[in-house]
Every structure is written in structure tokens, then in C-alpha cells.
Amino acid sequence: MSSLLPPPPAAVPGPRSRELLAAYEQVFYPGLVGDGYPFVATSKSGWTVTDVDGNAFVDLASGSASVPVGAGREDLVRPAAEALLRFGNEDSHSVFHEAMLPLAQRLLAIAPKGLTRVDISLNGTESVETAVRVMRRATGRPVIIGFLGGYHGETTTTASLGAEHHEIGRQLRGLGSGFVHVPYPNSYRSPFGPARPGGSGDPTVDFLRDHVLFHLVDPGEVAGVLIEPVLGSGGVVVPPDTFWPALKDMCAQYDWLLCLDEVKTGFGRTGAMFAADLWGVQPDLMCLGKAMGGGVMPIGALLGNERALSGFSDLATGSTWSWLPAACAAALAYLDVLETEDVLGNVRALHEVSASTLGPLVDRIPEVGDVRVQGGFAAVEFVRDRTTKERFPRLQDAVADGCLQRGVLVVSSTTSLNIQPSLVMAPDAYAEALGRVIDAIDEAVQAIR
């Protein structure tokens, strides 16, 4: 049977990439060059990336999930290009343009019920930055509750709010005050037992109520909760169904705002338009970014209800390049794609491929501690020991390198091997790509034992 994928590369890096990377190391910040894949790209099309040596890679990273339906689609690029020719750059805070209102109206039309206002931002990080300021301004309270394992960006504020790994907030966390963290509701790594009798019904919320609010912070000082509804970079962790009603009840009791960071989960990645839709959660605020620009232009937004985003007008938000005409044109074109193509149906098919292909690894390979799948997200967590659940980053990185040598791009995050295919990738091609991932896992496991 003929392959649906490009052949694996002869060598990574190839000679031209090696030459260029050596030059990059002399010019760029070392942390930038050290974090990238060991090749230099020359083009990207659909779900493949081609490097300067002619090697083609299957893209299961999707630009950190910011390229939702493949690269270089003319129906997404052309509207942005035409807007660039008409406008160039314009500060949308000062000169409103004709694409702003239609985009805001369409976002609110597909958003969870109750969200009625839109603020503009350049990207997801800026959306979260704005959300933090809005929550404090709307409530007059200083403290925001975040979750261990969450990722919200790498500015001082967002790195202090996030807690995926201590490295991200190094030398920043001490500068960003007003954040309190509790463990994310992670069934595989929960530090809690079952929910206590007479409690909320959820152990994470019980801990928040019984310990954090008793020992650490007065609930009257809390502006609200900011959380990823499904952990993205932190390893595709899906909260149990008991979590959301218990959290919503707590927010209602103490008059807290609930803000969902849907920067990575929004616009189809989880198999629903927004991850909030999986549980029918109605947040007070919702942060958007990444996929919102269709993989063409950077853009973000903060959606809010009347209480959260309507009672004041004295808070300066966003930045000069927020909602450029070209970015709005690309976002509108992507919403057209979501309306006219069965993107969500394909994502659900990709989910089934991930579950059926990767799921059995838990029973077959002792070093695979957990496999988690949600729509177009998949994560494989490696452990040294099934009982202790000690993480095995050396094995994870070896698997990622094995995937690369087989011509497949995955993400070796701080917690797991993450896979994020194009939402419109053919399920058969995706299954073949995951076959290469499994080959890399088998090889790395045998080499390390």
C-alpha cells in the first residue's frame, strides 16, 4: 500500500540546516536556538513542513496549535492579503475598521451563553494579561486563583499566573503578586483522595474550600478563578465531570468571576467549538488567541459578560497591533471554514484514531504511564515506574527525537509528549503518522532499558 506521508528524511539536520543553525547560534539569543527543532524550514503547506535540505516533515505540532486547518490555505490567506493591500497597518483602538464589528458579533454568536462584550488583543498572552486586569478592576479584589500545570504565557503576569513548570516563571514569580495556585484536577496525578463526605463532590474544590480559603486567603479578597478548561501544553488533562459544577457553585457563593483560558482549546481543537461546550460551562470571561487567526495572522480577544466587561471604561487594554484589518479578515475567513466544512466532525474522527492507536500503549509498555486524548489533542506521559509515577523526561525526549528522524514533528513538553495535528488532516494519514510515533516509542524504550 502506498504511503499517505512524505518519506522519512535522510538525515536531520541536513547539511544546509546544519550550516544555517551554526550561523543562528552566533546571532540569536541562545535560548531561542536551543528550543527549536534542529532544521531550518523553507516552506509549509497543509500539514507538512519542508526544510532547506528538501526534507518534508509531517506536522503534528501545528505551530503550537496556532495553525488549525493547515498552512497556506488560499481561502484564508487571500482575505488577509487583500486587507493588507487596502489598509496596511492601522491601530484599531483609534481608527475602527469595517471588519471589527462583524468579527465581534460572530464571536459572541458562537460563544457560551451570557458572553456579550468583546475586547481586542494581539494574541492569547495579551488576552490573559487583560483578563487579569479586568477581573481585578471589575471586582475591586486583588487575588486570582490559578492552577498547577496551567500555561498562560511567558510575560511577568502570565508566567506568574501559570504554573506548568517552575522554569517558565523563573525570576518572574517573585515580581507577580496576587496569585494563589491549587493543583489542577488531574485524575492521573491528583494529590487528593476521593471527595470528602458532605463536601462539594469534587476533591480539588474541597481542597480549595477546606484548606486554601481557611489557611491562606479570605474569599472576599479573591477576584476569581482563571483556568484552562483542558490543559494544553500541560499535557491534555481533562477535568472530571464533578469539577465544573462544584467550581461554579463556589464562584457563585463568593461572587467570584470565572475566566476560561481557551487560547489553545478554542475554535475546534477539543472537538467542540470551545472546550466550555463539552460541559456546558458558562464563564464570565473567556480568553481567545492562537487558532483564532486561522494560522495566518496573530489575533486574540477577551469575551465577557456584562458584569465582567461592561461596568467601567477607564482601563486601557490591548496594544497597537490588536485586531489589524488583515488579522480580522483572516479570522472571519476561518469562521467561514468552521461553518461550511465539517471540521468538528473530522476532529472527532482524529480523536478516535488517537484513542485506538495510542491508548493500548498503556497496557503494552510499562514506561507509558498515561495516554490522554481530547479531540485534536493527544498526550503520552512517560514514567520510570508505574507505582511511583516518577516522570521520565530522558525517554520522552528520545521519543521526540525518534519521531523527528522519522519525519514527524511532535512536542516534547515539560510534562508529556504532546500531539496536535491539523484539524482537517485525513484520519488515515494521521493513523499512519501515529504509526511512526509508536515505532519511535518502541525504539526508545528498548534503547533505554
Side-chain angles (χ1 to χ4, degrees), residues 50-421:
T50 302
D51 73 6
V52 292
D53 293 288
N55 297 313
F57 299 88
V58 180
D59 185 8
L60 300 188
S62 297
S64 295
S66 66
V67 184
V69 289
R73 285 185 52 146
E74 185 176 353
D75 55 347
L76 300 181
V77 173
R78 184 171 295 281
E82 291 173 350
L84 277 172
L85 289 171
R86 289 201 314 276
F87 284 97
N89 169 14
E90 185 52 81
D91 183 352
S92 298
H93 293 86
S94 302
V95 178
F96 303 138
H97 58 80
E98 60 186 357
M100 293 176 67
L101 182 59
L103 178 55
Q105 291 173 329
R106 289 182 68 177
L107 290 176
L108 294 174
I110 62 174
K113 184 179 178 181
L115 298 176
T116 58
R117 298 280 177 170
V118 178
D119 193 27
I120 67 176
S121 56
L122 174 62
N123 53 33
T125 295
E126 194 169 88
S127 301
V128 175
E129 288 259 5
T130 300
V132 168
R133 298 173 63 219
V134 164
M135 292 172 77
R136 289 171 171 162
R137 176 66 181 81
T139 63
R141 300 174 179 183
V143 177
I144 292 173
I145 294 172
F147 289 80
L148 303 180
Y151 177 86
H152 302 289
E154 298 185 25
T155 61
T156 299
T157 296
T158 56
S160 299
L161 169 62
E164 181 187 331
H165 189 261
H166 65 83
E167 179 185 64
I168 296 171
R170 181 181 296 151
Q171 298 184 331
L172 296 176
R173 196 168 298 281
L175 303 175
S177 61
F179 301 111
V180 173
H181 296 86
V182 298
Y184 193 89
N186 183 341
S187 300
Y188 181 64
R189 289 192 175 274
S190 176
F192 311 124
R196 65 169 172 80
S200 68
D202 181 83
T204 299
V205 177
D206 285 348
F207 173 79
L208 178 54
R209 182 186 297 277
D210 297 345
H211 298 279
V212 175
L213 298 186
F214 182 85
H215 293 288
L216 188 60
V217 61
D218 185 321
E221 292 187 307
V222 176
V225 175
L226 205 159
I227 182 172
E228 290 179 271
V230 174
L231 284 189
S233 299
V236 194
V237 179
V238 181
D241 291 340
T242 57
F243 175 71
W244 294 109
L247 181 64
K248 284 289 288 183
D249 286 347
M250 177 171 280
C251 288
Q253 178 182 354
Y254 294 118
D255 205 25
W256 295 351
L257 295 173
L258 175 60
C259 179
L260 298 186
D261 179 350
E262 291 250 19
V263 171
K264 202 163 190 177
T265 54
F267 300 101
R269 176 59 57 178
T270 66
M273 183 63 71
F274 301 105
D277 299 336
L278 297 172
W279 298 277
V281 177
Q282 296 177 16
D284 300 291
L285 291 160
M286 190 164 72
C287 304
L288 303 176
K290 283 195 185 293
M292 182 175 166
V296 176
M297 294 287 289
I299 190 170
L302 177 65
L303 277 52
N305 59 21
E306 291 297 298
R307 178 200 173 196
L309 206 56
S310 179
F312 52 91
S313 60
D314 57 346
L315 193 68
T317 62
S319 59
T320 306
W321 287 56
S322 303
W323 280 42
L324 295 183
C328 291
L332 286 166
Y334 180 44
L335 292 178
D336 288 343
V337 169
L338 290 171
E339 284 187 2
T340 58
E341 299 181 16
D342 188 18
V343 176
L344 297 184
N346 196 71
V347 174
R348 290 189 284 270
L350 296 176
H351 176 112
E352 295 304 318
V353 172
S354 292
S356 62
T357 304
L358 299 174
L361 296 176
V362 174
D363 296 324
R364 183 167 70 83
I365 301 176
E367 290 83 359
V368 174
D370 198 25
V371 170
R372 298 180 290 270
V373 176
Q374 182 59 58
F377 278 130
V380 181
E381 188 164 337
F382 296 95
V383 295
R384 294 181 184 273
D385 182 270
R386 281 281 181 88
T387 302
T388 66
K389 299 182 182 178
E390 179 185 358
R391 292 187 172 94
F392 207 164
R394 185 163 64 94
L395 175 58
Q396 179 180 302
D397 289 343
V399 171
D401 183 67
C403 292
L404 181 71
Q405 301 302 325
R406 289 168 170 80
V408 178
L409 304 183
V410 296
V411 179
S412 185
S413 77
T414 56
T415 59
S416 56
L417 190 82
N418 293 344
I419 297 168
Q420 299 153 176

